[in-house]
Amino acid sequence: MKKRLLTLALALVMALSLAACGGGSGDTQPSGDSQPAGDSQPAGDSGSSDASGAVYYLNFKPEQDGAWQALAEAYTQETGVEVKVQTAASGQYETTLMSEIAKTDAPTLFQVNGPVGLANWKDYCYDLSGSQIAGELSSDDFALMDGSSMPGIAYVIETYGLIYNKALLEQAGYTADDIKSFADLKKVAEDITARKDELGFSAFTSAGMDGSSDWRFKTHLANLPIYFEYEADGIGDTEAIKGTYLDNYRAMWDLYINNCTCAPTLLSAKTGDDSVAEFVTEQAVFYQNGTWAFGDVADLGEENLGMLPIYIGVGDEANQGLCTGTENYWCVNKNAKPEDIQATLDFMYWCVTSDTGLDYMCSGDEGKMGFVIPFKGNLESTNALVNIANDYVAQGTTSIKWCFPTMPSEEWKNVLGSALTAYAADQTDANWETVRAAFVDNWAAEKSK
Amino acid sequence: MEKCIKRYFPVFLGPTFLAFLIGFIAPFLMGIYLSFCDFRTVTDAKFNGVQNYVRAFQDGDFAHAFWFTALFTVTTLILINVIAFAVALVLTREIRGTNLFRTVFFMPNLIGGIVLGYVWQLIFNGILSRYDLALKISAKYGFWGLVILICWQQIGYMMIIYIAGLQSIPGDLSEAAEIDGANGWQRLWNVTIPNMMPSITICTFLTLTNGFKLFDQNLSLTAGEPMKQTEMLALNIFNTFYGRVGYQGVGQAKAVVFFILVVALGLVQLNMTRSKEVQQ
């Protein structure tokens, strides 16, 4: 009896392990099969020779995931080339890329955030110089160069600032014309806070420091003191930042956290979604974010949305514009199969030249991306925030450059973010010293690694 | 029949052994090799000697993570085992609804760590926000938050093991002691606990290694905030490997150190409690 039980148990184990193996191979087989099928079918359909190969795009922007999926489908319908789009979760791009690129079925198209990101992925980047898409760039400034090779090409130009709700600002007794400097902003914000109960709303949305949106402060807001320091010193990058304008950074951060919808001690528990929700439900007047967030805030109505430069009390504030630049560079995986590289190049070219591609990239309609693209084919945008940004440029203000691609590492940003959160909870000089150390000392430490 | 098993054992064992080889042994050996390499992706690695280990030991955050984890493990080891044992004692008495209680206490163990972390984060923040505080502003809150979460999750599981142990103790031992005039405490210390040593060995081993290996709950409850002060070893390794450019090798080296540490501690603990086990 005992032996029979043992045999039974063993048989069960075997059956289970076989089933497990079967499950595994069942997963891989179809995808292995579909590849050649996908290869041969389009060739037969369209008869074009470049229709072999497939594209795998690892997308960085979760807010545009739907649009990319639709665009990929449209491309497959038009040309028969298979395009797979996968989107990394917010803040997980490097992690996802690292594990994806080690696979046999690696992304053929991915992105880096500028020179610092490129340093990590240089060995995987196909030289795009002389490619069709490089010829479409509206300015050579938008190519990411490494010596004479061109490993990356920017595909979107973005702008951020202080988005505000016009109706609420008027209700508080002000208009955008009253805010022309940091001092003005401080006055308005503190006045709103003083009358918070009477008005029923706050000046700023909560900062969302739980990690889902702290990049708005550890990266985007931190860009301003870095930009002004670079300007003052006439440089574009540095091994050791001095932190000349850190006091202004502190003043701005103080303003944000002490005039928002919740107590500053609660900021570490707030998310980016909380922040958006507070803005859309009219609990706050100001919301620091950029053109990419238009879809989130469009419900307030175009006529109700405005954008102010982020004044931190440095430089020529009267002529200060919004922060414009890019940290999104397309790179083609050098190690992909030649036909896949060709398919990827064709896809990129199609995205920025064909009518369908341009419509998806530039239109601000529901389900489209609403980008400003640095290519000749760029269409007039229906993204209200983009149009506001264009107005600023037309008025002759000086745009603030995006200097944060020169930040030493993700680690630098993360440490700064934690320090900002800790300071928000307990606003002492000692805690600000931690922020200063994270900003200045850690810059040099991380750059030297 | 026996002959049959002898002849065909490769058919039965082969697949499982193969799966173990591919799924465990191979990655494990590869991991040890990679800890001596400089690499970005696991498929292209360059040998660079013990440099990764040097950098791992120079990392102050790693040392902090070790002490934090050690403190956490000791705290939860004691709390979980004492409470689980007490609950098991209560639930082996003849009380109405014992089965219901056992099921309810066991249930938290069926929920995944990430989910638990988020749920408890909401609970803690919900309570703390009444006092204008939040979980992530102090390492103290993070620590006790984690302790509460883990106790809540694991007490039920350890309780089941203790109940099984308690039920296997022959009733006549306790009865004999009672007739000899031993009071309740004496019976607990001198009869029940010595007979429970096998269960205690298992439970302390599980809580010890679980405490050291804790990852999901740490990630979703505090994510190491504030300022990496609640970052435990596993999370520190994860962040080193995935969060920092060029640190993959260092992360791998930390993982090897971590493995040795957990194995060593586990063995020491097993020896210590085993030696106290009695033969019935």
Side-chain angles (χ1 to χ4, degrees), chain A residues 3 7 14 95 98 101 120 124 265-266 411 418-419 434 446 449, chain B residues 1-2 11 40-41 44 132-133 137 225 227-228 242 244-245 247-248:
Chain A
K3 268 173 204 154
T7 331
M14 188 190 72
T95 316
M98 212 183 288
I101 211 146
N120 198 20
Y124 292 87
T265 40
L266 294 179
E411 176 74 5
S418 297
T434 321
E446 286 290 317
K449 273 175 185 158
Chain B
M1 190 66 209
E2 201 166 341
V11 181
R40 293 288 180 281
T41 60
D44 60 347
D132 274 353
L133 295 169
I137 62 176
E225 295 291 329
M227 313 272 302
K228 297 185 182 172
Y242 282 110
R244 310 201 61 181
V245 172
Y247 271 68
Q248 285 86 347

PDB file of all heavy atoms in Angstrom, chain A residues 3 7 14 95 98 101 120 124 265-266 411 418-419 434 446 449, chain B residues 1-2 11 40-41 44 132-133 137 225 227-228 242 244-245 247-248:
ATOM      1  N   LYS A   3       3.923   1.541  -0.906  1.00  0.00           N
ATOM      2  CA  LYS A   3       4.678   1.681  -2.154  1.00  0.00           C
ATOM      3  C   LYS A   3       3.801   2.231  -3.269  1.00  0.00           C
ATOM      4  O   LYS A   3       4.229   3.055  -4.073  1.00  0.00           O
ATOM      5  CB  LYS A   3       5.260   0.328  -2.553  1.00  0.00           C
ATOM      6  CG  LYS A   3       6.659   0.146  -1.997  1.00  0.00           C
ATOM      7  CD  LYS A   3       7.164  -1.243  -2.255  1.00  0.00           C
ATOM      8  CE  LYS A   3       8.230  -1.613  -1.253  1.00  0.00           C
ATOM      9  NZ  LYS A   3       8.310  -3.042  -1.056  1.00  0.00           N
ATOM     10  N   THR A   7       4.473   5.503  -5.537  1.00  0.00           N
ATOM     11  CA  THR A   7       4.458   5.538  -6.998  1.00  0.00           C
ATOM     12  C   THR A   7       3.478   6.595  -7.490  1.00  0.00           C
ATOM     13  O   THR A   7       3.773   7.367  -8.405  1.00  0.00           O
ATOM     14  CB  THR A   7       4.018   4.179  -7.581  1.00  0.00           C
ATOM     15  OG1 THR A   7       4.402   3.168  -6.668  1.00  0.00           O
ATOM     16  CG2 THR A   7       4.631   3.952  -8.930  1.00  0.00           C
ATOM     17  N   MET A  14       5.649  13.953 -11.599  1.00  0.00           N
ATOM     18  CA  MET A  14       6.095  13.960 -12.986  1.00  0.00           C
ATOM     19  C   MET A  14       5.064  14.631 -13.886  1.00  0.00           C
ATOM     20  O   MET A  14       5.392  15.461 -14.719  1.00  0.00           O
ATOM     21  CB  MET A  14       6.340  12.529 -13.463  1.00  0.00           C
ATOM     22  CG  MET A  14       6.990  12.493 -14.812  1.00  0.00           C
ATOM     23  SD  MET A  14       7.020  10.851 -15.514  1.00  0.00           S
ATOM     24  CE  MET A  14       5.325  10.618 -15.927  1.00  0.00           C
ATOM     25  N   THR A  95      14.861  50.169 -15.771  1.00  0.00           N
ATOM     26  CA  THR A  95      14.746  48.802 -15.279  1.00  0.00           C
ATOM     27  C   THR A  95      14.184  47.885 -16.349  1.00  0.00           C
ATOM     28  O   THR A  95      14.705  46.798 -16.605  1.00  0.00           O
ATOM     29  CB  THR A  95      13.788  48.772 -14.077  1.00  0.00           C
ATOM     30  OG1 THR A  95      14.098  49.869 -13.247  1.00  0.00           O
ATOM     31  CG2 THR A  95      13.915  47.496 -13.319  1.00  0.00           C
ATOM     32  N   MET A  98      16.565  47.419 -19.248  1.00  0.00           N
ATOM     33  CA  MET A  98      17.686  46.557 -18.895  1.00  0.00           C
ATOM     34  C   MET A  98      17.328  45.087 -19.043  1.00  0.00           C
ATOM     35  O   MET A  98      18.117  44.297 -19.530  1.00  0.00           O
ATOM     36  CB  MET A  98      18.101  46.855 -17.455  1.00  0.00           C
ATOM     37  CG  MET A  98      19.567  46.677 -17.200  1.00  0.00           C
ATOM     38  SD  MET A  98      19.907  46.971 -15.478  1.00  0.00           S
ATOM     39  CE  MET A  98      19.721  48.727 -15.339  1.00  0.00           C
ATOM     40  N   ILE A 101      16.319  44.285 -23.015  1.00  0.00           N
ATOM     41  CA  ILE A 101      17.351  44.298 -24.052  1.00  0.00           C
ATOM     42  C   ILE A 101      18.235  43.060 -23.982  1.00  0.00           C
ATOM     43  O   ILE A 101      18.930  42.718 -24.928  1.00  0.00           O
ATOM     44  CB  ILE A 101      18.170  45.610 -23.979  1.00  0.00           C
ATOM     45  CG1 ILE A 101      18.657  45.995 -25.375  1.00  0.00           C
ATOM     46  CG2 ILE A 101      19.329  45.483 -23.011  1.00  0.00           C
ATOM     47  CD1 ILE A 101      18.721  47.471 -25.629  1.00  0.00           C
ATOM     48  N   ASN A 120      25.085  55.067 -20.718  1.00  0.00           N
ATOM     49  CA  ASN A 120      24.764  53.703 -20.316  1.00  0.00           C
ATOM     50  C   ASN A 120      24.480  52.790 -21.505  1.00  0.00           C
ATOM     51  O   ASN A 120      24.763  51.601 -21.473  1.00  0.00           O
ATOM     52  CB  ASN A 120      23.547  53.738 -19.386  1.00  0.00           C
ATOM     53  CG  ASN A 120      23.419  52.474 -18.587  1.00  0.00           C
ATOM     54  OD1 ASN A 120      24.390  51.733 -18.430  1.00  0.00           O
ATOM     55  ND2 ASN A 120      22.230  52.217 -18.092  1.00  0.00           N
ATOM     56  N   TYR A 124      24.682  50.067 -27.484  1.00  0.00           N
ATOM     57  CA  TYR A 124      23.523  49.455 -28.120  1.00  0.00           C
ATOM     58  C   TYR A 124      22.929  50.340 -29.205  1.00  0.00           C
ATOM     59  O   TYR A 124      21.939  49.986 -29.810  1.00  0.00           O
ATOM     60  CB  TYR A 124      22.439  49.145 -27.075  1.00  0.00           C
ATOM     61  CG  TYR A 124      22.855  48.058 -26.111  1.00  0.00           C
ATOM     62  CD1 TYR A 124      23.561  48.351 -24.958  1.00  0.00           C
ATOM     63  CD2 TYR A 124      22.556  46.726 -26.381  1.00  0.00           C
ATOM     64  CE1 TYR A 124      23.954  47.356 -24.086  1.00  0.00           C
ATOM     65  CE2 TYR A 124      22.940  45.718 -25.515  1.00  0.00           C
ATOM     66  CZ  TYR A 124      23.642  46.032 -24.373  1.00  0.00           C
ATOM     67  OH  TYR A 124      24.030  45.035 -23.521  1.00  0.00           O
ATOM     68  N   THR A 265       3.533  68.015   6.060  1.00  0.00           N
ATOM     69  CA  THR A 265       3.944  66.710   6.587  1.00  0.00           C
ATOM     70  C   THR A 265       3.273  65.556   5.846  1.00  0.00           C
ATOM     71  O   THR A 265       3.727  64.429   5.905  1.00  0.00           O
ATOM     72  CB  THR A 265       3.569  66.585   8.073  1.00  0.00           C
ATOM     73  OG1 THR A 265       2.287  67.170   8.253  1.00  0.00           O
ATOM     74  CG2 THR A 265       4.570  67.282   8.957  1.00  0.00           C
ATOM     75  N   LEU A 266       2.176  65.857   5.160  1.00  0.00           N
ATOM     76  CA  LEU A 266       1.429  64.783   4.497  1.00  0.00           C
ATOM     77  C   LEU A 266       1.897  64.538   3.065  1.00  0.00           C
ATOM     78  O   LEU A 266       1.426  63.626   2.401  1.00  0.00           O
ATOM     79  CB  LEU A 266      -0.061  65.130   4.462  1.00  0.00           C
ATOM     80  CG  LEU A 266      -0.753  65.188   5.816  1.00  0.00           C
ATOM     81  CD1 LEU A 266      -2.205  65.563   5.650  1.00  0.00           C
ATOM     82  CD2 LEU A 266      -0.640  63.834   6.502  1.00  0.00           C
ATOM     83  N   GLU A 411      20.189  58.176  -9.478  1.00  0.00           N
ATOM     84  CA  GLU A 411      20.435  58.122  -8.047  1.00  0.00           C
ATOM     85  C   GLU A 411      20.472  59.532  -7.466  1.00  0.00           C
ATOM     86  O   GLU A 411      19.916  59.793  -6.407  1.00  0.00           O
ATOM     87  CB  GLU A 411      21.754  57.383  -7.793  1.00  0.00           C
ATOM     88  CG  GLU A 411      22.199  57.328  -6.345  1.00  0.00           C
ATOM     89  CD  GLU A 411      21.377  56.357  -5.511  1.00  0.00           C
ATOM     90  OE1 GLU A 411      20.527  55.657  -6.070  1.00  0.00           O
ATOM     91  OE2 GLU A 411      21.595  56.320  -4.288  1.00  0.00           O
ATOM     92  N   SER A 418      14.175  62.420  -1.980  1.00  0.00           N
ATOM     93  CA  SER A 418      13.975  62.002  -0.589  1.00  0.00           C
ATOM     94  C   SER A 418      14.291  63.140   0.361  1.00  0.00           C
ATOM     95  O   SER A 418      13.586  63.354   1.350  1.00  0.00           O
ATOM     96  CB  SER A 418      14.889  60.828  -0.239  1.00  0.00           C
ATOM     97  OG  SER A 418      14.584  59.729  -1.019  1.00  0.00           O
ATOM     98  N   ALA A 419      15.364  63.869   0.051  1.00  0.00           N
ATOM     99  CA  ALA A 419      15.761  64.970   0.922  1.00  0.00           C
ATOM    100  C   ALA A 419      14.693  66.063   0.925  1.00  0.00           C
ATOM    101  O   ALA A 419      14.373  66.636   1.976  1.00  0.00           O
ATOM    102  CB  ALA A 419      17.107  65.532   0.479  1.00  0.00           C
ATOM    103  N   THR A 434      20.668  68.812   4.354  1.00  0.00           N
ATOM    104  CA  THR A 434      20.634  67.509   3.682  1.00  0.00           C
ATOM    105  C   THR A 434      20.309  67.691   2.201  1.00  0.00           C
ATOM    106  O   THR A 434      20.881  67.026   1.343  1.00  0.00           O
ATOM    107  CB  THR A 434      19.556  66.607   4.308  1.00  0.00           C
ATOM    108  OG1 THR A 434      19.561  66.811   5.711  1.00  0.00           O
ATOM    109  CG2 THR A 434      19.817  65.161   3.994  1.00  0.00           C
ATOM    110  N   GLU A 446      28.478  61.699  -7.709  1.00  0.00           N
ATOM    111  CA  GLU A 446      27.872  60.870  -8.744  1.00  0.00           C
ATOM    112  C   GLU A 446      28.539  61.074 -10.098  1.00  0.00           C
ATOM    113  O   GLU A 446      28.646  60.157 -10.899  1.00  0.00           O
ATOM    114  CB  GLU A 446      26.371  61.159  -8.844  1.00  0.00           C
ATOM    115  CG  GLU A 446      25.559  60.594  -7.696  1.00  0.00           C
ATOM    116  CD  GLU A 446      25.462  59.073  -7.733  1.00  0.00           C
ATOM    117  OE1 GLU A 446      25.250  58.509  -8.818  1.00  0.00           O
ATOM    118  OE2 GLU A 446      25.626  58.455  -6.670  1.00  0.00           O
ATOM    119  N   LYS A 449      31.617  58.991 -10.693  1.00  0.00           N
ATOM    120  CA  LYS A 449      31.500  57.535 -10.760  1.00  0.00           C
ATOM    121  C   LYS A 449      31.465  57.047 -12.200  1.00  0.00           C
ATOM    122  O   LYS A 449      31.018  57.739 -13.066  1.00  0.00           O
ATOM    123  CB  LYS A 449      30.258  57.085  -9.998  1.00  0.00           C
ATOM    124  CG  LYS A 449      30.596  56.900  -8.535  1.00  0.00           C
ATOM    125  CD  LYS A 449      29.375  56.583  -7.719  1.00  0.00           C
ATOM    126  CE  LYS A 449      29.773  56.531  -6.242  1.00  0.00           C
ATOM    127  NZ  LYS A 449      28.647  56.739  -5.364  1.00  0.00           N
TER     128      LYS A 449
ATOM    129  N   MET B   1       7.149  -4.395  -8.269  1.00  0.00           N
ATOM    130  CA  MET B   1       6.797  -2.980  -8.094  1.00  0.00           C
ATOM    131  C   MET B   1       8.025  -2.158  -7.791  1.00  0.00           C
ATOM    132  O   MET B   1       8.341  -1.176  -8.444  1.00  0.00           O
ATOM    133  CB  MET B   1       5.792  -2.897  -6.931  1.00  0.00           C
ATOM    134  CG  MET B   1       5.159  -1.542  -6.779  1.00  0.00           C
ATOM    135  SD  MET B   1       4.108  -1.157  -8.187  1.00  0.00           S
ATOM    136  CE  MET B   1       4.261   0.608  -8.156  1.00  0.00           C
ATOM    137  N   GLU B   2       8.819  -2.629  -6.798  1.00  0.00           N
ATOM    138  CA  GLU B   2      10.017  -1.908  -6.406  1.00  0.00           C
ATOM    139  C   GLU B   2      11.013  -1.854  -7.557  1.00  0.00           C
ATOM    140  O   GLU B   2      11.640  -0.831  -7.810  1.00  0.00           O
ATOM    141  CB  GLU B   2      10.644  -2.600  -5.194  1.00  0.00           C
ATOM    142  CG  GLU B   2      11.557  -1.666  -4.419  1.00  0.00           C
ATOM    143  CD  GLU B   2      11.882  -2.245  -3.060  1.00  0.00           C
ATOM    144  OE1 GLU B   2      11.141  -3.146  -2.595  1.00  0.00           O
ATOM    145  OE2 GLU B   2      12.868  -1.825  -2.489  1.00  0.00           O
ATOM    146  N   VAL B  11      12.705   8.583 -15.302  1.00  0.00           N
ATOM    147  CA  VAL B  11      11.511   9.134 -15.941  1.00  0.00           C
ATOM    148  C   VAL B  11      10.739  10.005 -14.954  1.00  0.00           C
ATOM    149  O   VAL B  11      10.210  11.051 -15.285  1.00  0.00           O
ATOM    150  CB  VAL B  11      10.607   7.996 -16.459  1.00  0.00           C
ATOM    151  CG1 VAL B  11       9.381   8.578 -17.156  1.00  0.00           C
ATOM    152  CG2 VAL B  11      11.394   7.086 -17.383  1.00  0.00           C
ATOM    153  N   ARG B  40      26.146  45.269 -17.901  1.00  0.00           N
ATOM    154  CA  ARG B  40      24.896  46.014 -17.989  1.00  0.00           C
ATOM    155  C   ARG B  40      23.737  45.039 -18.117  1.00  0.00           C
ATOM    156  O   ARG B  40      22.770  45.090 -17.404  1.00  0.00           O
ATOM    157  CB  ARG B  40      24.890  46.930 -19.216  1.00  0.00           C
ATOM    158  CG  ARG B  40      25.884  48.049 -19.148  1.00  0.00           C
ATOM    159  CD  ARG B  40      25.465  49.111 -18.140  1.00  0.00           C
ATOM    160  NE  ARG B  40      26.451  50.182 -18.095  1.00  0.00           N
ATOM    161  CZ  ARG B  40      27.607  50.105 -17.441  1.00  0.00           C
ATOM    162  NH1 ARG B  40      27.890  49.015 -16.758  1.00  0.00           N
ATOM    163  NH2 ARG B  40      28.456  51.096 -17.462  1.00  0.00           N
ATOM    164  N   THR B  41      23.860  44.139 -19.086  1.00  0.00           N
ATOM    165  CA  THR B  41      22.864  43.089 -19.228  1.00  0.00           C
ATOM    166  C   THR B  41      23.591  41.773 -19.002  1.00  0.00           C
ATOM    167  O   THR B  41      24.792  41.674 -19.255  1.00  0.00           O
ATOM    168  CB  THR B  41      22.246  43.105 -20.638  1.00  0.00           C
ATOM    169  OG1 THR B  41      23.288  42.900 -21.584  1.00  0.00           O
ATOM    170  CG2 THR B  41      21.563  44.415 -20.923  1.00  0.00           C
ATOM    171  N   ASP B  44      26.268  40.176 -21.646  1.00  0.00           N
ATOM    172  CA  ASP B  44      27.646  40.595 -21.954  1.00  0.00           C
ATOM    173  C   ASP B  44      28.336  41.109 -20.686  1.00  0.00           C
ATOM    174  O   ASP B  44      28.114  42.214 -20.230  1.00  0.00           O
ATOM    175  CB  ASP B  44      27.696  41.632 -23.094  1.00  0.00           C
ATOM    176  CG  ASP B  44      26.931  42.891 -22.759  1.00  0.00           C
ATOM    177  OD1 ASP B  44      26.178  42.852 -21.769  1.00  0.00           O
ATOM    178  OD2 ASP B  44      27.083  43.899 -23.463  1.00  0.00           O
ATOM    179  N   ASP B 132      -1.809  64.978  11.178  1.00  0.00           N
ATOM    180  CA  ASP B 132      -0.949  65.644  10.211  1.00  0.00           C
ATOM    181  C   ASP B 132       0.421  64.989  10.105  1.00  0.00           C
ATOM    182  O   ASP B 132       1.456  65.649  10.032  1.00  0.00           O
ATOM    183  CB  ASP B 132      -0.799  67.129  10.532  1.00  0.00           C
ATOM    184  CG  ASP B 132      -1.936  67.925   9.905  1.00  0.00           C
ATOM    185  OD1 ASP B 132      -2.709  67.324   9.137  1.00  0.00           O
ATOM    186  OD2 ASP B 132      -2.042  69.124  10.175  1.00  0.00           O
ATOM    187  N   LEU B 133       0.432  63.683  10.129  1.00  0.00           N
ATOM    188  CA  LEU B 133       1.684  62.944   9.968  1.00  0.00           C
ATOM    189  C   LEU B 133       1.517  61.960   8.811  1.00  0.00           C
ATOM    190  O   LEU B 133       0.406  61.701   8.375  1.00  0.00           O
ATOM    191  CB  LEU B 133       2.005  62.160  11.242  1.00  0.00           C
ATOM    192  CG  LEU B 133       2.291  62.984  12.493  1.00  0.00           C
ATOM    193  CD1 LEU B 133       2.331  62.087  13.708  1.00  0.00           C
ATOM    194  CD2 LEU B 133       3.597  63.735  12.344  1.00  0.00           C
ATOM    195  N   ILE B 137       7.555  59.890   6.782  1.00  0.00           N
ATOM    196  CA  ILE B 137       8.371  61.002   7.249  1.00  0.00           C
ATOM    197  C   ILE B 137       9.333  60.592   8.347  1.00  0.00           C
ATOM    198  O   ILE B 137      10.238  61.339   8.669  1.00  0.00           O
ATOM    199  CB  ILE B 137       7.530  62.222   7.704  1.00  0.00           C
ATOM    200  CG1 ILE B 137       6.632  61.859   8.880  1.00  0.00           C
ATOM    201  CG2 ILE B 137       6.727  62.781   6.557  1.00  0.00           C
ATOM    202  CD1 ILE B 137       5.874  63.065   9.399  1.00  0.00           C
ATOM    203  N   GLU B 225      11.829  54.914   2.146  1.00  0.00           N
ATOM    204  CA  GLU B 225      11.749  56.298   2.627  1.00  0.00           C
ATOM    205  C   GLU B 225      11.642  56.311   4.147  1.00  0.00           C
ATOM    206  O   GLU B 225      11.152  55.362   4.729  1.00  0.00           O
ATOM    207  CB  GLU B 225      10.529  56.985   2.020  1.00  0.00           C
ATOM    208  CG  GLU B 225      10.602  57.151   0.522  1.00  0.00           C
ATOM    209  CD  GLU B 225      11.654  58.154   0.088  1.00  0.00           C
ATOM    210  OE1 GLU B 225      11.913  59.124   0.838  1.00  0.00           O
ATOM    211  OE2 GLU B 225      12.247  57.961  -0.970  1.00  0.00           O
ATOM    212  N   MET B 227      14.731  58.808   3.051  1.00  0.00           N
ATOM    213  CA  MET B 227      16.169  58.824   2.792  1.00  0.00           C
ATOM    214  C   MET B 227      16.820  57.457   2.975  1.00  0.00           C
ATOM    215  O   MET B 227      17.866  57.339   3.592  1.00  0.00           O
ATOM    216  CB  MET B 227      16.876  59.811   3.740  1.00  0.00           C
ATOM    217  CG  MET B 227      16.216  61.159   3.860  1.00  0.00           C
ATOM    218  SD  MET B 227      16.753  62.337   2.650  1.00  0.00           S
ATOM    219  CE  MET B 227      18.472  62.406   2.928  1.00  0.00           C
ATOM    220  N   LYS B 228      16.196  56.414   2.469  1.00  0.00           N
ATOM    221  CA  LYS B 228      16.743  55.050   2.527  1.00  0.00           C
ATOM    222  C   LYS B 228      16.863  54.508   3.947  1.00  0.00           C
ATOM    223  O   LYS B 228      17.524  53.504   4.181  1.00  0.00           O
ATOM    224  CB  LYS B 228      18.123  54.989   1.862  1.00  0.00           C
ATOM    225  CG  LYS B 228      18.066  55.320   0.394  1.00  0.00           C
ATOM    226  CD  LYS B 228      19.409  55.136  -0.232  1.00  0.00           C
ATOM    227  CE  LYS B 228      19.330  55.516  -1.699  1.00  0.00           C
ATOM    228  NZ  LYS B 228      20.609  55.550  -2.330  1.00  0.00           N
ATOM    229  N   TYR B 242      19.071  47.614 -10.134  1.00  0.00           N
ATOM    230  CA  TYR B 242      18.239  48.211 -11.172  1.00  0.00           C
ATOM    231  C   TYR B 242      18.250  49.730 -11.181  1.00  0.00           C
ATOM    232  O   TYR B 242      17.979  50.352 -12.190  1.00  0.00           O
ATOM    233  CB  TYR B 242      16.790  47.733 -11.028  1.00  0.00           C
ATOM    234  CG  TYR B 242      16.578  46.353 -11.550  1.00  0.00           C
ATOM    235  CD1 TYR B 242      16.313  45.300 -10.699  1.00  0.00           C
ATOM    236  CD2 TYR B 242      16.654  46.101 -12.916  1.00  0.00           C
ATOM    237  CE1 TYR B 242      16.123  44.025 -11.191  1.00  0.00           C
ATOM    238  CE2 TYR B 242      16.463  44.835 -13.400  1.00  0.00           C
ATOM    239  CZ  TYR B 242      16.197  43.804 -12.544  1.00  0.00           C
ATOM    240  OH  TYR B 242      16.004  42.548 -13.036  1.00  0.00           O
ATOM    241  N   ARG B 244      20.765  51.930 -10.430  1.00  0.00           N
ATOM    242  CA  ARG B 244      21.966  52.713 -10.671  1.00  0.00           C
ATOM    243  C   ARG B 244      22.730  52.211 -11.877  1.00  0.00           C
ATOM    244  O   ARG B 244      23.027  51.034 -11.997  1.00  0.00           O
ATOM    245  CB  ARG B 244      22.875  52.652  -9.443  1.00  0.00           C
ATOM    246  CG  ARG B 244      22.142  52.971  -8.159  1.00  0.00           C
ATOM    247  CD  ARG B 244      23.098  53.394  -7.094  1.00  0.00           C
ATOM    248  NE  ARG B 244      23.809  54.589  -7.503  1.00  0.00           N
ATOM    249  CZ  ARG B 244      24.727  55.176  -6.754  1.00  0.00           C
ATOM    250  NH1 ARG B 244      25.057  54.672  -5.596  1.00  0.00           N
ATOM    251  NH2 ARG B 244      25.322  56.261  -7.177  1.00  0.00           N
ATOM    252  N   VAL B 245      23.075  53.156 -12.729  1.00  0.00           N
ATOM    253  CA  VAL B 245      23.831  52.823 -13.925  1.00  0.00           C
ATOM    254  C   VAL B 245      25.216  52.310 -13.534  1.00  0.00           C
ATOM    255  O   VAL B 245      25.912  52.933 -12.741  1.00  0.00           O
ATOM    256  CB  VAL B 245      23.970  54.080 -14.797  1.00  0.00           C
ATOM    257  CG1 VAL B 245      24.924  53.818 -15.943  1.00  0.00           C
ATOM    258  CG2 VAL B 245      22.616  54.509 -15.296  1.00  0.00           C
ATOM    259  N   TYR B 247      26.013  49.781 -11.742  1.00  0.00           N
ATOM    260  CA  TYR B 247      26.117  49.139 -10.435  1.00  0.00           C
ATOM    261  C   TYR B 247      25.563  47.725 -10.417  1.00  0.00           C
ATOM    262  O   TYR B 247      25.414  47.134  -9.359  1.00  0.00           O
ATOM    263  CB  TYR B 247      25.385  49.981  -9.379  1.00  0.00           C
ATOM    264  CG  TYR B 247      26.270  51.022  -8.758  1.00  0.00           C
ATOM    265  CD1 TYR B 247      26.726  52.092  -9.507  1.00  0.00           C
ATOM    266  CD2 TYR B 247      26.665  50.922  -7.437  1.00  0.00           C
ATOM    267  CE1 TYR B 247      27.550  53.037  -8.943  1.00  0.00           C
ATOM    268  CE2 TYR B 247      27.488  51.874  -6.870  1.00  0.00           C
ATOM    269  CZ  TYR B 247      27.916  52.929  -7.627  1.00  0.00           C
ATOM    270  OH  TYR B 247      28.735  53.868  -7.077  1.00  0.00           O
ATOM    271  N   GLN B 248      25.279  47.192 -11.597  1.00  0.00           N
ATOM    272  CA  GLN B 248      24.679  45.856 -11.645  1.00  0.00           C
ATOM    273  C   GLN B 248      25.585  44.833 -10.975  1.00  0.00           C
ATOM    274  O   GLN B 248      25.119  43.968 -10.232  1.00  0.00           O
ATOM    275  CB  GLN B 248      24.415  45.445 -13.098  1.00  0.00           C
ATOM    276  CG  GLN B 248      23.236  46.140 -13.725  1.00  0.00           C
ATOM    277  CD  GLN B 248      23.594  47.492 -14.329  1.00  0.00           C
ATOM    278  OE1 GLN B 248      24.654  48.035 -14.083  1.00  0.00           O
ATOM    279  NE2 GLN B 248      22.698  48.026 -15.115  1.00  0.00           N
TER     280      GLN B 248
END
